[in-house]
Amino acid sequence: MAPNLDSYFKTVDDNADHFIERLRQAVAIPSVSAEEERRPDVVKMGMWLKEQLESLGAHMEARDLGKQPGKEHLHLPPAIVGSYPAKKDDSKRTILVYGHYDVQPANLSDGWNTEPFKLSIDDKGRMYGRGSTDDKGPVLGWVNVIEAHQKAGVDFPVNLLMCFEGMEEYGSEGLDDFIIAECKPGKFFADADAVCISDNYWLGTEKPCLTYGLRGCSYYSIEISGPGQDLHSGVFGGTAQEPMTDLVRVMGTLVDTNGRIQIPGIYELVAPLTKEEQGLYENIAFTMDNLYESLGSKTGIFDKKEETLMGRWRYPSLSIHGVEGAFSAPGAKTVIPAKVVGKFSIRTVPDMEPHEVDQLVYSYVNEQFKKLGSKNKLNCYLQHSGKWWVASPKHWNFTAAAKAVEKVWKVQPDLTREGGSIPVTLTFEQATGKNVLLLPMGSSTDAAHSINEKLDRGNYITGTKLLGSYLHYVAEEPMKE
Amino acid sequence: MAPNLDSYFKTVDDNADHFIERLRQAVAIPSVSAEEERRPDVVKMGMWLKEQLESLGAHMEARDLGKQPGKEHLHLPPAIVGSYPAKKDDSKRTILVYGHYDVQPANLSDGWNTEPFKLSIDDKGRMYGRGSTDDKGPVLGWVNVIEAHQKAGVDFPVNLLMCFEGMEEYGSEGLDDFIIAECKPGKFFADADAVCISDNYWLGTEKPCLTYGLRGCSYYSIEISGPGQDLHSGVFGGTAQEPMTDLVRVMGTLVDTNGRIQIPGIYELVAPLTKEEQGLYENIAFTMDNLYESLGSKTGIFDKKEETLMGRWRYPSLSIHGVEGAFSAPGAKTVIPAKVVGKFSIRTVPDMEPHEVDQLVYSYVNEQFKKLGSKNKLNCYLQHSGKWWVASPKHWNFTAAAKAVEKVWKVQPDLTREGGSIPVTLTFEQATGKNVLLLPMGSSTDAAHSINEKLDRGNYITGTKLLGSYLHYVAEEPMKE
Ligand SMILES: [Zn+2]
Ligand SMILES: [Zn+2]
Ligand SMILES: [Zn+2]
Ligand SMILES: [Zn+2]
C-alpha cells in the first residue's frame, strides 16, 4: 500500500522559505575542516546542527573524536549523532543516515561570483554558497523532514539514527574507528536495518539516480634517488645518472594514452562483463555531450556512452598525478633533482583485491626500473588504499528509494555507479553488515569542491520530499534482503 | 723578459689583513639581487665599490640600466664601470675585466654555520660569507691589485677597463645591450685588447686552472593540454585522455639512463674528438673521487675520469628538470591535471647551432607525441637559449695568464672547460671581437650558491698576486692572436 504523503508534501512546500533560511544560516558558518584557523567554525557548525535537531525533539550527542593525528594541537570536531524519535519505537525499522557538516575551503578571490559563505539565490533558483550541495543541503534535508512531519502531523515512519561528521573534506579523521565501535551490539548504531547516505550527485542534471557502486583507489609513490643533493645541470649533466630521467621512463610504461593499464595481470582481476550488465548502460540518462561538457573538451577516450560509463564505473583506471621534488614552478630552472617522487593511483573495481594490485604494481615497476640499468635507488610504495564498494540494487533499501523517486520526481531513477570513492560507504557496510544506499539530492552541475558551488532550489525542496518519502517506503517494503 | 714582481708580491703580503678587511666590509652589505627589498643594498654595494676605486684614483661611473623588465616598479642597480689609470696611456695594452657585486640569497636559517653576511674566518683560513668567492673576492682582487701597485710604487702595466654588474645572480638583466653598446667605436670599452673574467672556480682544490670553454644551454618546455580544467581522477579516470600520461611518455623518450640523448641528429652536430684533444684529459687534475664527493653518491655515468670530463665539457647532455601544472606537494592528491608543462634542457657544445638543435627537438618531440595517437594538444617551445663558448687557449691572453699562474702558484695551470654557462662571456667575445679568458680565484669546494660559501685566505691573497701578475705578463706577451 502506497503511503499517503500529500499533507507531508504540502507542508514541505509551505515551509520552503523557512528551509532555505535554514540553509542560509548553515552556509554562513564557514566550517572549513582543512583550515586550522576555521576549526572553531567547524565546531560551531556541529553545535548549531545539534541544536536544530534538539529543538525538534531529537536526542542528540556530540561525540569527542580526540586530537587530530599529526596535528596534536588541534582537536577534531565532534561527531554529531542522534536519534529521532528520541525514544525508539520497536515496531518500526531503523534507518541510519550519514552526512557531513564541514565544507571545502573557499575564498571570493578564487573566482566566486558571490560571497562563498553567503547563500545567494539567482532568478533561476540556483542557490550559490559553499556547502550548499556538499553536504549541508542534504544534511538539512533530514532536519527538514523531521520538522515537516511534525508540522503536518504525520507519524514518523521509522526510527532515524543520524551520524554527521565534521572532517569529511579532510579525510574523515577518526571516523572509521568511531563507526565501527558504535555499530557493535548495544551501541548507538547497533539497531540500524539499513543505511542511507546523501553525499553524491545525479549523473546529469535532469534525472535522479540511486547509486549502488563506487570504485576503490590505491595510491602509489615511486621514489627514485641518487645524488646526495640537487645538482646543477651544467656541472653534472652528462656525468651523473639522473633520477628524473629514470622516473619519467618508468612512469611512461604504466598506462597508454587510451587509458589501458600496462601492468600485466591487472585486467585478469576484473570481474567479467555479463550480458545482463552490458544491457544496463544503454538506458542510463547520459550522453557523450554530457561528458564533453564536464571535460571542457572532446579529449575523451571512447566515442560511445556505454564504453564511457563502463570506463568510469566498472573498469580500473590509472592516473599519473605529478612529481614531488622536481622543479614545478613557472619559468626555467636548470636543476637536476636529487630525489623525485612520482605519484599515481589506480581506481579499482570488483573483484580486484587491493593487496593483489599492490603486488602487481610493485613487481612491474621494479622490473621496468631494472631494465634501465640505473645506479639510482627505486622505492615503490602504497600511500593509501580504499576498496571498491558495490551493493545490491535489488535490496528493499533500493526498491523503497526507487519508489520514492518515482513518487516525487515522476520518473524511474537510473541505477548508477560512480568512478570516485566515498570511503565511509564501505565502512558503514562492513560495520553494520547492512545494505547501504547512496541517495543523491544535487545534480552534476552543482560544482562541489569548485568555485560557485550551488544547489538548485528544486533539488533542495523536492529532495526534502524525497528523503521523507524514502523513509515511508522503506518502512513498508517487504523485508527481502 | 719576465717582469720583476717581488716588491708587488711583498706589498700584497704586507697588506693581506687590510685586503681581508675590505672583503669583510663588502660581505657585510647584503647585495642580494633576487630579493626586491634588498635592492637598496645592491645599489649601496655598487656605490661602495665605486668609492673604493675612486679613492685609488680610478675614473668611475655608475651607469643607469633602467627599470627591471617585468618588475617596472624596481630600478636595476647600476653597472659600475671605470678605467685605471684615469687617463689612458696609449703605449700600453688595454684589458677589460668583468665581475659582479651582487650575491645569491642567504639566510642563517638555511643551514649556515655562521652569519652569512658577516665574514667569519676559521683556523684553517677559510673565510665564510655570502659573496666571499662569488664574486666579491675576485672583484676586490682588482681593487687590491691597484692599491698594491700604488703602495709598492710599481708602474701599472696596462690600461684597465672595469665592468662590474649588480644583477648577475638574477639573469644579468639589461647588461647585454649595455656591453654591446659600450664596445662600439668611441665608447667606454672600445679600446679593449682582451677580456678577463674572474667568476668561476678551479676544477678541484689544489690546482689552478684557466678556463677556455663553456657549454651552452637550450631550455625547452613541452606543454600538453586537453581538458578545460583539472579533473577528479575518480570521475574521469578511464574516460579522458590525460595530458600527464602523454607527457611522461614523451619525456621518457628524450634521454636514457646513461645520458645518451635519443633525439636523432644531435650527436652529428658535435665536433669530432681529435687525437690531440683526447690526450688533454688524462693530465687534468681530477679524479673519480672528486666526482663522487661532489655528487654525494656513486651514481655517475662513467667509471673513467677522461670520459667524465668529456661528458661534462665537450659532449651535450639532456636533463629533465620537472613538470609545471601537476601535483607537486608531499602527500596524495587524486587530480588529473588539465595542462602540464615538462621542462628539460640540453647543454650544447661545439659545433651545435642552437636553432638546428631546436629543429631537431621540435620534430622529434612532435613525432613521439604523434605516435601516441592522443587527442590532447602538444606545444613544444624554447624558453631560452645561450650558445656555447670556446676560446683559443693559445692566445697571448691565455699564455700570459699561464705564466702568471706558474709564477704565483709554482705550477702549470690545467686548461679546462666547464659544463655550465656564463652567458656574459660570449657577449664580451662577440661585442669586443677579442679573446676572453676565465681566470678563477676560488676552488671547487667554495660552495658558491650554497650554504657556507667561503673563499680560502690563500686563494684570495695569492689570487690578488695572480691578477696583478697576469696584467704584467699580458702587457709583455708577443701579440700573436
Ligand atoms: Zn561531501
Ligand atoms: Zn566534498
Ligand atoms: Zn658569479
Ligand atoms: Zn653566482
Side-chain angles (χ1 to χ4, degrees):
Chain A
M1 189 192 77
N4 187 331
L5 294 163
D6 294 348
S7 72
Y8 170 66
F9 286 176
K10 182 170 185 310
T11 309
V12 172
D13 285 329
D14 289 348
N15 284 275
D17 287 346
H18 170 59
F19 295 156
I20 290 167
E21 176 55 29
R22 175 172 280 145
L23 181 59
R24 190 187 306 278
Q25 287 179 34
V27 166
I29 305 172
S31 53
V32 179
S33 49
E35 294 171 359
E36 288 193 21
E37 65 280 16
R38 302 278 207 187
R39 187 58 51 90
D41 289 310
V42 182
V43 175
K44 183 178 165 192
M45 178 66 208
M47 292 308 163
W48 179 88
L49 177 61
K50 179 167 174 277
E51 282 156 28
Q52 292 280 311
L53 286 156
E54 278 170 344
S55 74
L56 295 169
H59 166 79
M60 301 301 298
E61 298 178 17
R63 293 295 197 85
D64 183 14
L65 296 178
K67 303 275 182 202
Q68 183 164 332
K71 293 194 173 177
E72 311 296 334
H73 59 292
L74 272 185
H75 214 86
L76 288 168
I80 303 296
V81 301
S83 55
Y84 182 84
K87 192 171 152 37
K88 192 188 171 198
D89 179 343
D90 285 326
S91 70
K92 291 175 180 167
R93 280 190 182 156
T94 299
I95 302 298
L96 170 56
V97 301
Y98 161 90
H100 61 90
Y101 62 81
D102 64 317
V103 298
Q104 285 278 322
N107 293 295
L108 188 60
S109 61
D110 297 338
W112 283 73
N113 294 325
T114 58
E115 277 293 341
F117 296 109
K118 188 165 170 260
L119 195 74
S120 305
I121 310 178
D122 73 7
D123 51 11
K124 290 181 175 156
R126 292 178 295 206
M127 307 187 294
Y128 291 94
R130 176 56 87 218
S132 55
T133 196
D134 180 19
D135 188 33
K136 290 179 175 176
V139 165
L140 297 188
W142 297 114
V143 182
N144 300 342
V145 163
I146 294 172
E147 186 175 13
H149 275 81
Q150 292 179 0
K151 288 190 172 168
V154 176
D155 185 44
F156 207 74
V158 299
N159 297 302
L160 193 69
L161 291 174
M162 292 167 274
C163 178
F164 301 127
E165 70 157 317
M167 284 298 282
E168 199 275 341
E169 303 292 9
Y170 203 72
S172 292
E173 301 273 17
L175 194 73
D176 269 12
D177 291 345
F178 175 75
I179 291 172
I180 290 163
E182 294 300 327
C183 286
K184 296 239 161 85
K187 302 294 249 176
F188 207 87
F189 303 146
D191 296 337
D193 294 309
V195 182
C196 177
I197 298 176
S198 189
D199 188 22
N200 67 321
Y201 311 93
W202 297 354
L203 186 58
T205 56
E206 299 306 322
K207 198 168 172 200
C209 63
L210 306 178
T211 305
Y212 68 97
L214 298 166
R215 293 197 290 190
C217 182
S218 296
Y219 200 108
Y220 301 94
S221 289
I222 301 177
E223 181 182 303
I224 303 184
S225 59
Q229 67 289 322
D230 285 359
L231 305 173
H232 186 287
S233 69
V235 181
F236 291 97
T239 69
Q241 293 188 336
E242 304 185 12
M244 188 65 180
T245 297
D246 292 346
L247 183 64
V248 296
R249 288 181 84 89
V250 170
M251 290 205 300
T253 69
L254 295 172
V255 62
D256 74 12
T257 288
N258 285 319
R260 185 86 193 165
I261 300 172
Q262 306 291 300
I263 302 167
I266 287 287
Y267 290 102
E268 280 82 339
L269 301 179
V270 177
L273 181 67
T274 62
K275 270 263 170 291
E276 188 196 351
E277 187 198 331
Q278 193 158 21
L280 295 175
Y281 298 100
E282 200 185 318
N283 295 319
I284 304 281
F286 182 79
T287 66
M288 289 309 292
D289 283 337
N290 289 153
L291 177 74
Y292 299 145
E293 194 184 335
S294 55
L295 262 182
S297 69
K298 295 209 156 189
T299 56
I301 293 175
F302 304 106
D303 294 329
K304 284 186 161 175
K305 94 171 190 193
E306 290 82 358
E307 290 174 303
T308 298
L309 288 175
M310 286 192 269
R312 177 179 298 186
W313 295 348
R314 70 102 55 223
Y315 284 117
S317 64
L318 190 157
S319 296
I320 299 171
H321 306 297
V323 179
E324 180 187 344
F327 175 54
S328 60
K333 193 177 168 190
T334 55
V335 67
I336 297 174
K339 177 172 129 181
V340 285
V341 187
K343 317 271 180 89
F344 71 98
S345 67
I346 297 180
R347 296 283 163 175
T348 56
V349 296
D351 300 316
M352 300 167 76
E353 285 299 328
H355 70 273
E356 287 184 62
V357 175
D358 296 349
Q359 293 313 315
L360 292 175
V361 165
Y362 300 154
S363 84
Y364 180 75
V365 166
N366 279 290
E367 188 188 309
Q368 295 305 310
F369 181 67
K370 212 168 185 180
K371 278 190 198 166
L372 302 181
S374 176
K375 295 171 191 164
N376 292 317
K377 274 205 204 76
L378 174 137
N379 182 17
C380 180
Y381 55 90
L382 183 75
Q383 276 210 45
H384 63 68
S385 110
K387 212 183 162 183
W388 46 265
W389 163 80
V390 178
S392 166
K394 294 178 182 168
H395 187 277
W396 53 263
N397 197 23
F398 277 83
T399 53
K403 288 176 186 171
V405 169
E406 268 204 84
K407 179 78 179 174
V408 305
W409 288 108
K410 319 289 180 207
V411 64
Q412 277 203 318
D414 278 339
L415 283 167
T416 63
R417 286 159 70 170
E418 285 200 3
S421 313
I422 308 178
V424 79
T425 310
L426 193 67
T427 306
F428 275 116
E429 182 185 272
Q430 293 176 336
T432 62
K434 307 289 171 154
N435 182 279
V436 181
L437 159 74
L438 300 187
L439 183 57
M441 176 181 273
S443 83
S444 68
T445 52
D446 282 0
H449 295 209
S450 293
I451 55 168
N452 302 319
E453 176 182 346
K454 59 92 176 161
L455 175 63
D456 290 342
R457 188 185 198 280
N459 283 58
Y460 182 53
I461 300 305
T462 310
T464 293
K465 293 180 189 172
L466 174 65
L467 298 182
S469 305
Y470 158 71
L471 296 181
H472 283 274
Y473 282 101
V474 92
E476 295 208 335
E477 204 68 1
M479 256 234 190
K480 54 175 165 35
E481 288 285 324
Chain B
M1 187 193 76
N4 187 329
L5 294 163
D6 294 348
S7 73
Y8 169 66
F9 286 176
K10 183 171 185 310
T11 310
V12 172
D13 285 329
D14 290 347
N15 284 273
D17 287 345
H18 169 60
F19 295 155
I20 289 167
E21 176 56 30
R22 174 172 281 146
L23 181 59
R24 188 188 308 278
Q25 287 180 33
V27 166
I29 305 172
S31 53
V32 179
S33 48
E35 295 170 359
E36 288 193 21
E37 66 279 15
R38 301 279 206 186
R39 187 59 50 90
D41 289 311
V42 182
V43 175
K44 183 178 165 192
M45 178 67 207
M47 291 309 162
W48 179 89
L49 178 61
K50 178 167 174 276
E51 282 156 29
Q52 292 279 311
L53 286 156
E54 278 170 343
S55 74
L56 294 170
H59 165 79
M60 301 303 296
E61 298 178 18
R63 293 294 196 85
D64 184 15
L65 296 178
K67 303 273 182 203
Q68 183 164 333
K71 293 193 175 180
E72 310 297 335
H73 59 292
L74 272 185
H75 214 89
L76 289 168
I80 304 295
V81 301
S83 55
Y84 182 84
K87 192 172 153 30
K88 191 185 171 200
D89 179 343
D90 286 325
S91 71
K92 291 174 181 169
R93 279 189 183 158
T94 300
I95 302 297
L96 170 56
V97 301
Y98 161 90
H100 62 91
Y101 61 82
D102 64 318
V103 298
Q104 285 277 323
N107 294 294
L108 188 59
S109 61
D110 297 338
W112 283 73
N113 294 326
T114 58
E115 277 294 341
F117 297 108
K118 187 165 171 260
L119 195 74
S120 306
I121 309 178
D122 74 6
D123 52 10
K124 289 182 177 155
R126 292 179 295 206
M127 308 188 293
Y128 292 93
R130 176 56 88 217
S132 55
T133 196
D134 181 19
D135 189 33
K136 289 179 175 176
V139 165
L140 297 188
W142 297 114
V143 183
N144 300 341
V145 164
I146 293 171
E147 186 175 13
H149 275 80
Q150 292 178 1
K151 287 190 170 166
V154 176
D155 185 43
F156 206 74
V158 299
N159 297 302
L160 192 70
L161 290 174
M162 292 166 274
C163 177
F164 301 126
E165 69 155 319
M167 284 298 282
E168 199 274 342
E169 302 292 7
Y170 203 71
S172 292
E173 301 272 18
L175 195 73
D176 270 12
D177 290 346
F178 176 75
I179 291 171
I180 291 163
E182 294 300 327
C183 286
K184 296 239 161 85
K187 303 294 250 173
F188 206 89
F189 302 147
D191 296 337
D193 294 309
V195 181
C196 178
I197 298 176
S198 189
D199 188 22
N200 67 321
Y201 312 93
W202 297 354
L203 186 60
T205 55
E206 299 306 321
K207 198 169 172 199
C209 64
L210 306 178
T211 305
Y212 68 97
L214 298 166
R215 291 198 291 189
C217 182
S218 296
Y219 200 106
Y220 301 95
S221 288
I222 301 177
E223 182 184 303
I224 302 184
S225 59
Q229 66 291 321
D230 285 1
L231 305 173
H232 186 287
S233 68
V235 182
F236 291 98
T239 69
Q241 293 189 337
E242 304 185 12
M244 188 66 180
T245 297
D246 293 345
L247 183 64
V248 295
R249 288 181 84 89
V250 169
M251 290 205 299
T253 68
L254 294 173
V255 61
D256 74 12
T257 288
N258 285 320
R260 185 85 191 165
I261 299 172
Q262 305 292 300
I263 301 167
I266 287 287
Y267 291 102
E268 280 83 337
L269 302 179
V270 177
L273 181 67
T274 62
K275 270 262 170 290
E276 187 195 354
E277 187 197 332
Q278 193 158 19
L280 295 176
Y281 297 101
E282 200 185 316
N283 295 319
I284 304 282
F286 183 80
T287 66
M288 289 309 291
D289 283 337
N290 291 153
L291 177 75
Y292 298 145
E293 194 184 335
S294 55
L295 261 182
S297 70
K298 294 209 158 189
T299 55
I301 293 175
F302 305 105
D303 295 329
K304 285 186 159 174
K305 93 169 191 194
E306 290 82 357
E307 289 173 305
T308 298
L309 289 174
M310 285 191 269
R312 177 179 298 186
W313 295 348
R314 70 101 56 222
Y315 283 117
S317 64
L318 189 156
S319 296
I320 299 171
H321 307 298
V323 179
E324 180 187 344
F327 175 56
S328 61
K333 193 177 169 189
T334 56
V335 68
I336 298 175
K339 179 171 130 181
V340 285
V341 187
K343 317 271 179 89
F344 71 98
S345 67
I346 298 179
R347 296 283 163 175
T348 55
V349 297
D351 299 313
M352 299 168 77
E353 285 299 329
H355 70 273
E356 286 184 62
V357 175
D358 296 348
Q359 294 313 315
L360 292 175
V361 166
Y362 300 154
S363 85
Y364 180 75
V365 166
N366 279 289
E367 187 188 309
Q368 295 305 311
F369 181 67
K370 212 168 184 179
K371 279 191 197 166
L372 302 181
S374 176
K375 295 171 191 164
N376 291 318
K377 275 206 204 75
L378 174 137
N379 182 16
C380 180
Y381 54 91
L382 183 75
Q383 276 209 47
H384 63 67
S385 112
K387 212 183 162 181
W388 45 265
W389 163 80
V390 178
S392 166
K394 295 178 180 169
H395 187 278
W396 53 262
N397 197 22
F398 278 83
T399 53
K403 288 177 187 169
V405 169
E406 268 205 83
K407 178 79 181 174
V408 304
W409 287 108
K410 319 289 179 209
V411 63
Q412 275 202 321
D414 278 339
L415 283 167
T416 64
R417 285 157 71 167
E418 286 200 2
S421 313
I422 308 176
V424 76
T425 311
L426 193 67
T427 305
F428 276 116
E429 182 184 274
Q430 292 176 335
T432 62
K434 307 290 171 157
N435 182 279
V436 181
L437 159 75
L438 299 187
L439 182 59
M441 175 182 272
S443 84
S444 68
T445 53
D446 283 359
H449 294 209
S450 293
I451 55 169
N452 302 319
E453 176 183 346
K454 59 92 176 161
L455 176 63
D456 290 341
R457 189 185 198 280
N459 283 58
Y460 182 54
I461 301 304
T462 311
T464 292
K465 293 180 189 170
L466 173 65
L467 298 182
S469 305
Y470 157 71
L471 296 181
H472 283 274
Y473 283 102
V474 92
E476 294 208 336
E477 203 68 0
M479 256 232 189
K480 52 171 166 39
E481 288 282 325

